[in-house]
Amino acid sequence: MKTGTLYIVSAPSGAGKTSLIKALLETLKTARLSISYTTRKQRPGEEDGVHYHFVSSETFTDMLTNKAFLEHAEVFGNYYGTSSQAVQQQLETGDDVILEIDWQGARQVRKQFSDNSGIFILPPGRDELNKRLSARGQDNEEIILARMQQAVSEISHYHEYDYVVINDDFDVAVEDLLAIFRSGRLTLAHQQQFNADILRSLEQAE
């Protein structure tokens, strides 16, 4: 069976993770983003099954009881979770699957799914991170400070990942991500899965 690779992508707020993943997926046709389940209310412009799978608290609790989640978390009173079955089904199509989750979710995934690659996206420095968080223009100084402290806390976990991408120049960062995914498809194990016929023909004696 041809199986893709599971990629865990994490970053602090302000690092540009979501924009980078979107740009990556526009170029890379062999990867897809896992869609999380959430009890959060659907916002204008969001599509069920595209941005999230929007479910009731009762449905989420039932899934949790049945151990349906690879990872889950509570954020500001709302629950989010990644379906184990959905991820496995996506991987079995041969596509690589991206989990856009935080370091805590990443730890949960690693306990259940050891065959994965972790990517942590970082800003080029604290000054730039503070500038990005402030540039949104929607938060007061107290909220910005709290977000900055949270970001610094999250950054301290970058050493738990296999790859680190520094998002200084956006286009370069996208190319760095592409390099990680493309090199993953060139490993011996991957080539033996996806190009077995070619390898077999080259090994045959004339």
Side-chain angles (χ1 to χ4, degrees):
M1 181 181 293
K2 297 179 179 180
T3 305
T5 301
L6 181 65
Y7 286 90
I8 301 170
V9 183
S10 304
S13 178
K17 168 169 57 69
T18 300
S19 296
L20 286 171
I21 290 175
K22 181 180 178 182
L24 173 77
L25 293 174
E26 288 173 353
T27 302
L28 199 63
K29 302 309 178 184
T30 54
R32 63 173 74 182
L33 182 65
S34 174
I35 308 300
S36 298
Y37 284 77
T38 184
T39 60
R40 175 173 71 69
K41 296 297 183 182
Q42 189 171 344
R43 295 170 181 167
E46 290 183 331
E47 295 181 50
D48 184 38
V50 175
H51 297 91
Y52 288 99
H53 296 292
F54 296 96
V55 296
S56 66
S57 296
E58 291 76 16
T59 298
F60 194 97
T61 300
D62 287 343
M63 294 179 71
L64 194 58
T65 301
N66 292 322
K67 303 185 185 303
F69 293 120
L70 196 56
E71 61 83 31
H72 68 278
E74 179 185 0
V75 182
F76 301 123
N78 296 307
Y79 289 91
Y80 298 80
T82 301
S83 167
S84 300
Q85 182 179 17
V87 167
Q88 190 59 50
Q89 289 175 342
Q90 289 176 323
L91 289 171
E92 288 174 358
T93 67
D95 285 343
D96 297 329
V97 178
I98 300 171
L99 300 185
E100 187 180 352
I101 55 179
D102 64 15
W103 64 269
Q104 293 168 307
R107 284 186 175 180
Q108 293 180 50
V109 172
R110 292 189 194 103
K111 288 180 180 179
Q112 298 188 58
F113 205 105
S114 58
D115 187 14
N116 65 79
S117 291
I119 304 171
F120 203 95
I121 298 172
L122 290 172
R126 289 199 183 189
D127 289 344
E128 178 61 25
L129 177 60
N130 187 67
K131 186 187 300 181
R132 292 179 185 179
L133 292 175
S134 302
R136 298 176 179 181
Q138 300 174 343
D139 303 317
N140 59 40
E141 290 186 10
E142 183 178 352
I143 293 177
I144 293 172
L145 178 59
R147 289 185 181 278
M148 187 68 183
Q149 291 173 337
Q150 178 65 28
V152 170
S153 175
E154 291 170 351
I155 287 170
S156 68
H157 295 276
Y158 75 87
H159 63 276
E160 300 175 17
Y161 292 72
D162 302 297
Y163 300 92
V164 173
V165 172
I166 298 177
N167 184 17
D168 186 3
D169 182 294
F170 184 83
D171 292 336
V172 172
V174 171
E175 286 301 319
D176 288 343
L177 281 176
L178 283 169
I180 293 170
F181 280 77
R182 285 169 174 163
S183 64
R185 295 222 150 209
L186 297 177
T187 62
L188 174 62
H190 197 282
Q191 293 284 32
Q192 286 176 325
Q193 278 194 81
F194 286 77
N195 290 306
D197 291 342
I198 293 175
L199 296 177
R200 193 180 300 112
S201 69
L202 291 171
E203 291 176 335
Q204 292 175 347
E206 294 184 3

